[in-house]
Amino acid sequence: MTVTDRLVTSRTIAQHFESVTHHSVSARTVRRRLQQSGPLLGLSLAHYHRRLRRQWCEERRTWVAEWNEVVFTNESRICLQHHDGRIRVWIHRAERMLNSCVMHHHTGPALRFMVRSGIGYHSRTPLVRIAGIVDSLRYISEVLEPVVLPYLQGLATAIFQQDNARPHVTRSVQRFFVNDHIKLLPWPARFPDVSPLENM
């Protein structure tokens, strides 16, 4: 199954194995065996998530010019010394030594920081470097006030998109958007693949 679908979950593999062989195996055992060949993980979507995704898409099915007004934003963690292990797919045993599949390890302390940016149809926001942990107060003072607000004010109309990370959905941040008349694009949970910024 992992040959045809590299994002298949270990639970699905365990259920398939039991239906074919009539022997039960735990999802944990499947994960352990497959991790001997390489790393793993995928974004699992419950029925609830699928319903919200479909509803979100249907509500915007007729959008054309409206997409030109959306400013997609996101942050990314950068680790300078080594791979931080966040991107995981199944790999075949024969691919283990391919340079593109090797994850290098660093034994010392790793320098990490966050960067945040946004893209609109005709422009992009400046890249913001954020050291340390971001809470809602830092999100307002280091990202929204100095970067996002001036950028949005330079556009005739704008719809701001952000994900549902905890610092983005606090009352203080929501109050900031209301007070500064920033229109938000609703964003369901587990929805990263819809944002064009994820590919950048």
Side-chain angles (χ1 to χ4, degrees):
M1 288 182 78
T2 59
V3 172
T4 57
D5 182 4
R6 293 185 182 216
L7 299 178
V8 67
T9 65
S10 54
R11 181 171 291 159
T12 302
I13 295 171
Q15 289 169 349
H16 177 73
F17 182 82
E18 186 170 355
S19 69
V20 171
T21 65
H22 305 292
H23 295 286
S24 66
V25 61
S26 71
R28 185 174 180 208
T29 300
V30 171
R31 279 194 303 274
R32 199 167 54 245
R33 293 288 295 167
L34 287 171
Q35 282 175 335
Q36 292 172 357
S37 297
L40 117 106
L41 259 189
L43 183 67
S44 61
L45 295 173
H47 177 71
Y48 170 76
H49 297 122
R50 288 191 172 105
R51 185 171 53 80
L52 287 179
R53 285 167 69 104
R54 182 181 176 124
Q55 179 183 338
W56 187 92
C57 293
E58 296 223 353
E59 289 171 359
R60 290 155 189 84
R61 182 176 49 184
T62 59
W63 278 25
V64 179
E66 291 88 345
W67 290 116
N68 297 351
E69 300 174 6
V70 178
V71 176
F72 291 93
T73 65
N74 203 359
E75 65 277 330
S76 183
R77 184 175 64 219
I78 295 176
C79 184
L80 297 181
Q81 275 84 7
H82 62 83
H83 189 284
D84 63 4
R86 289 181 300 146
I87 300 171
R88 298 185 181 273
V89 295
W90 297 117
I91 63 172
H92 309 300
R93 184 172 294 278
E95 296 175 326
R96 289 178 73 180
M97 299 310 290
L98 289 178
N99 198 36
S100 60
C101 297
V102 173
M103 296 165 76
H104 301 280
H105 295 283
H106 182 76
T107 55
L111 179 60
R112 296 178 184 174
F113 59 90
M114 301 281 288
V115 292
R116 183 166 188 89
S117 185
I119 57 169
Y121 188 73
H122 295 290
S123 59
R124 64 181 182 267
T125 69
L127 189 67
V128 180
R129 183 181 183 275
I130 307 167
I133 296 171
V134 179
D135 60 10
S136 59
L137 296 176
R138 289 191 67 199
Y139 182 52
I140 292 172
S141 66
E142 296 180 27
V143 176
L144 295 179
E145 285 178 341
V147 178
V148 172
L149 190 58
Y151 175 78
L152 295 179
Q153 288 172 340
L155 302 174
T157 57
I159 304 170
F160 186 69
Q161 177 276 334
Q162 63 177 1
D163 60 23
N164 297 312
R166 191 163 291 166
H168 304 167
V169 296
T170 61
R171 286 191 186 123
S172 58
V173 170
Q174 297 306 310
R175 204 168 29 247
F176 175 87
F177 291 133
V178 171
N179 293 343
D180 287 288
H181 310 290
I182 296 174
K183 185 177 179 182
L184 290 175
L185 181 67
W187 203 249
R190 304 206 168 204
F191 213 47
D193 52 330
V194 176
S195 173
L197 191 56
E198 292 287 337
N199 298 316
M200 297 179 66

